Amino acid sequence: MPPRATLPRSVQLPSSKPASLPKWKPPKPHLAAYHQPSPGPSTHTPSFTPPVSPQIPPRRKPAFSPGGFGLQSQPQPAPSARSWGGGGKGKEREMTKREREVEEIRRRDEEIRKDEERLEGRPPVKEGKEEAEACYVPPPATLHFHSTRALPLLYSPQPLPSFQIAYETWGTLNSNRSNAILLHTGLSASSHVASNGNEVSSSTSSKPGWWEDFVGPGKSIDTDKFYVICTNVLGGCFGSTGPSSPYPPGDGETRWATRFPLLSIHDMTRGQLDLLDHLGIDKLYASVGASMGGMQSLSLAYIAPERVGRVASISASGRSGLNGVGMRYAQRSVLMADPNWNRGFYYDGVPPHNGMKLARQIATITYRSGPEWEQRFGRQMISEQEAQLDEAGNPGVPRLSPDFLIETYLDHQGERFCLTYDANSMIYLSKAMDLFDMTAPALTSLAKRYNTAYPNLPPFPYPTDPTNISVSSPRRVEDLTAERENVEAKSSSEKETKRKLERFIPTSKSPHLSELAQGLQRLKGMPALVLGVQSDVLFPVEQQRELADALKLAGNANVTYYELGGVWGHDTFLLDVQNVGGAIRGFLH
């Protein structure tokens, strides 16, 4: 049986310890880092009401099926150690063989890395300076914004209590604070988008970030001109509050785990607005994001259009397509099937490494494309390599273990990811991506839910609301009157969209185009960049065409749309500096 939490899931509260400040202990090396709670009033109060946690699938109880494989009514007993030579000497030989296999894997990883550099035209990595990873663990100097007020949530009538957001900055904020650009990350990225950030220690300032070639002096996002901000999203595991963070009424060591509330993309961007208030930035020059970050970029422009000058969405969509939803569900399924996941309460035991590894392998297949696999690996197999040939020059027997080079690459990617990212964060953020939908009916439903749960807070806007109604503006009587007139306004909006659709020839054939256009009306006065990639299988280019057409139908006369070729698939936004970087540079300047 997997290790269980030390206390019942519904409680996990201290019983005998005195009510004092939490005693912080460093996290285990294999877990996502969390930070010591900042000094302040104790949160050990009986009045704490946690937000509503999401429902978890019931435990799976596999049962033995007689007459299954082998048509046997009972499983055969395991062979004895004597029968397979499991004595001391045999064991010694097995250990030596395992060491050789590990060394072979390391050698293949190095060959794959060099092959990537050669095919992608990158200069060879010098010794001691490894390739930047999307899952980079941020340095200790990463900045943290601690919010003392609760964050209202779309899917919970109880808000998230005081939270923190990890962030880094580059460049200098000008005197009128008008040159700020907020970068939104993908699912697995930290706030370390580039090196040489502000107030980053010298020991880590030289480490490359996940968008190193795009952000910096003279680059596509020029830090000599712009003040760049990048955050680790809420729900993440690189410094921002998420499932691996300390549970507020706990003892300082107990984690939120799956008691953490279900998040939406809009909740993440609302938290970022609190950070902008803290930095004294009233309006961004631009909101830029790729993949899940592209969803955040659109969300921020919708919930607070008065605070965004222009918006860029790269390899993302206005509503999650079912292909992506299905892929992410498969990833969560294999992760949750790992016994070590323990329904999310694995922080005091062994993390679900096998489930995470398999989930990452599925994800990696969607990040790149088939033509690229052919160019990089072809059908090369380890069993056919020169070292495996017999005396007659014949190849070895194919193996069930990783044999094709593409298999060894996926194995390498999964192994690396499961050691650097928190499983619960992956589950929560991938679900938030699935829930993202900017069509008018979906946004209207969210607005009704939120405004009913939080009647005294600034409203979540309806698609037909004017831009002066946002999550940053106080709720006023005239706003409430406008809400009651939404039915009539919605009807008028639908008629106007239908009239435009009759005259407009869209490139998208989406049946949801009209509803998406109605949902994006609040962005019609904002310059927008939409970029898609023809080889992207995770966010097919049809979704970017749909988004660009919807923005135009909504009345936005300043939409720039680029559709790129190439073989890199979804990861093009990380690799194609010339085309993606050029599009961003032209849009910003």
Side-chain angles (χ1 to χ4, degrees):
M1 291 294 290
R4 297 183 64 83
T6 55
L7 293 173
R9 175 186 168 187
S10 59
V11 183
Q12 289 208 2
L13 301 178
S15 56
S16 58
K17 294 186 180 181
S20 59
L21 288 177
K23 182 181 178 183
W24 180 81
K25 290 183 180 179
K28 298 179 181 179
H30 61 268
L31 299 179
Y34 69 94
H35 303 268
Q36 183 174 4
S38 58
S42 174
T43 55
H44 296 260
T45 58
S47 60
F48 173 77
T49 304
V52 176
S53 59
Q55 293 184 353
I56 302 175
R59 291 184 184 276
R60 297 176 180 176
K61 298 180 180 179
F64 174 71
S65 175
F69 294 111
L71 301 179
Q72 59 203 36
S73 59
Q74 292 182 356
Q76 294 180 349
S80 63
R82 189 182 300 275
S83 67
W84 49 267
K89 291 185 179 179
K91 190 173 183 180
E92 218 170 53
R93 286 196 298 273
E94 180 65 26
M95 290 297 291
T96 305
K97 179 182 177 184
R98 177 168 292 183
E99 289 173 0
R100 288 199 302 270
E101 290 177 348
V102 170
E103 188 59 34
E104 176 68 14
I105 289 173
R106 289 175 181 168
R107 185 187 65 77
R108 292 202 308 269
D109 287 347
E110 182 64 18
E111 289 177 354
I112 289 173
R113 182 180 65 79
K114 291 180 180 178
D115 193 42
E116 286 179 353
E117 293 169 356
R118 180 179 60 79
L119 290 171
E120 294 167 5
R122 290 179 288 164
V125 176
K126 297 180 180 179
E127 194 67 29
K129 187 178 179 183
E130 297 181 355
E131 175 189 2
E133 296 184 16
C135 300
Y136 172 75
V137 177
T142 298
L143 306 174
H144 290 88
F145 160 64
H146 297 267
S147 175
T148 55
R149 61 182 181 182
L151 181 72
L153 302 171
L154 281 174
Y155 294 110
S156 172
Q158 287 84 34
L160 181 70
S162 57
F163 61 94
Q164 74 173 16
I165 293 180
Y167 70 100
E168 293 182 41
T169 64
W170 298 261
T172 305
L173 193 61
N174 59 17
S175 57
N176 59 359
R177 300 177 177 269
S178 61
N179 67 332
I181 294 178
L182 180 59
L183 298 183
H184 306 274
T185 71
L187 182 147
S188 61
S190 73
S191 58
H192 190 71
V193 73
S195 57
N196 301 315
N198 299 325
E199 301 180 36
V200 176
S201 63
S202 57
S203 62
T204 56
S205 62
S206 61
K207 288 186 178 293
W210 57 267
W211 230 15
E212 183 73 22
D213 294 332
F214 293 80
V215 180
K219 297 181 181 179
S220 303
I221 302 177
D222 193 349
T223 52
D224 286 338
K225 296 182 178 180
F226 299 111
Y227 180 69
V228 180
I229 310 161
C230 183
T231 75
N232 178 223
V233 297
L234 281 175
C237 58
F238 297 124
S240 295
T241 298
S244 60
S245 301
Y247 190 53
D251 54 8
E253 299 174 32
T254 304
R255 317 293 187 99
W256 273 96
T258 45
R259 286 171 299 202
F260 199 74
L262 192 65
L263 290 176
S264 73
I265 298 294
H266 305 295
D267 297 326
M268 301 173 193
T269 52
R270 186 189 291 268
Q272 290 175 324
L273 287 174
D274 286 355
L275 170 63
L276 295 180
D277 291 339
H278 168 72
L279 297 175
I281 298 172
D282 293 329
K283 185 172 183 176
L284 293 168
Y285 180 82
S287 174
V288 179
S291 190
M292 186 182 81
M295 295 177 170
Q296 296 174 66
S297 188
L298 293 172
S299 166
L300 187 64
Y302 175 84
I303 66 174
E306 80 284 4
R307 304 194 64 171
V308 179
R310 55 187 65 206
V311 59
S313 175
I314 303 167
S315 295
S317 65
R319 48 183 291 276
S320 283
L322 293 183
N323 180 64
V325 172
M327 285 291 185
R328 287 186 289 270
Y329 171 73
Q331 295 170 46
R332 293 194 298 271
S333 294
V334 297
L335 201 165
M336 292 179 177
D338 189 322
N340 290 331
W341 183 61
N342 195 27
R343 299 174 68 77
F345 289 83
Y346 53 81
Y347 294 105
D348 293 326
V350 180
H353 281 168
N354 287 334
M356 278 289 282
K357 179 178 178 179
L358 293 172
R360 185 61 171 186
Q361 289 178 359
I362 296 172
T364 303
I365 294 171
T366 69
Y367 294 157
R368 299 297 179 98
S369 71
E372 186 198 7
W373 297 143
E374 288 288 347
Q375 288 185 14
R376 293 174 64 181
F377 306 116
R379 290 186 58 84
Q380 297 181 65
M381 300 170 68
I382 294 174
S383 58
E384 295 177 349
Q385 291 182 353
E386 186 175 350
Q388 303 295 324
L389 301 181
D390 59 17
E391 296 178 356
N394 298 317
V397 178
R399 355 173 147 175
L400 291 177
S401 57
D403 195 3
F404 284 96
L405 291 190
I406 177 63
E407 294 175 329
T408 65
Y409 176 76
L410 293 176
D411 189 68
H412 164 76
Q413 291 293 326
E415 197 70 51
R416 183 173 65 174
F417 185 72
C418 73
L419 297 173
T420 56
Y421 201 75
D422 181 54
N424 283 334
S425 285
M426 201 219 79
I427 291 172
Y428 274 79
L429 296 186
S430 70
K431 187 65 177 182
M433 293 177 70
D434 293 349
L435 295 170
F436 185 71
D437 189 344
M438 294 292 289
T439 60
L443 291 170
T444 300
S445 175
L446 288 178
K448 289 179 179 178
R449 174 197 293 266
Y450 178 88
N451 296 331
T452 301
Y454 303 98
N456 299 319
L457 295 179
F460 185 88
Y462 285 83
T464 53
D465 283 341
T467 55
N468 65 328
I469 299 179
S470 79
V471 297
S472 293
S473 60
R475 185 180 291 266
R476 298 171 300 183
V477 176
E478 54 267 31
D479 296 338
L480 297 175
T481 304
E483 287 179 13
R484 286 191 284 270
E485 297 172 353
N486 266 328
V487 175
E488 181 180 347
K490 179 181 177 182
S491 176
S492 173
S493 169
E494 289 176 350
K495 292 178 181 177
E496 179 64 23
T497 302
K498 288 180 180 178
R499 282 196 296 269
K500 291 180 180 178
L501 197 56
E502 291 174 356
R503 299 188 301 269
F504 178 68
I505 303 177
T507 58
S508 169
K509 305 304 179 185
S510 169
H512 307 283
L513 185 59
S514 176
E515 292 178 339
L516 184 59
Q518 293 163 28
L520 296 174
Q521 287 183 88
R522 290 166 56 81
L523 281 67
K524 62 183 178 182
M526 193 180 302
L529 168 67
V530 179
L531 190 148
V533 179
Q534 292 174 348
S535 56
D536 191 343
V537 296
L538 183 60
F539 287 87
V541 71
E542 170 61 25
Q543 295 182 8
Q544 284 87 53
R545 294 173 184 166
E546 176 190 53
L547 175 59
D549 285 344
L551 286 167
K552 294 174 183 177
L553 279 173
N556 193 325
N558 198 352
V559 178
T560 304
Y561 175 66
Y562 289 107
E563 189 171 301
L564 303 182
V567 298
W568 288 310
H570 184 65
D571 276 357
T572 297
F573 76 90
L574 293 170
L575 302 170
D576 194 347
V577 180
Q578 179 177 356
N579 293 305
V580 176
I584 295 174
R585 180 192 294 272
F587 178 68
L588 295 179
H589 297 284

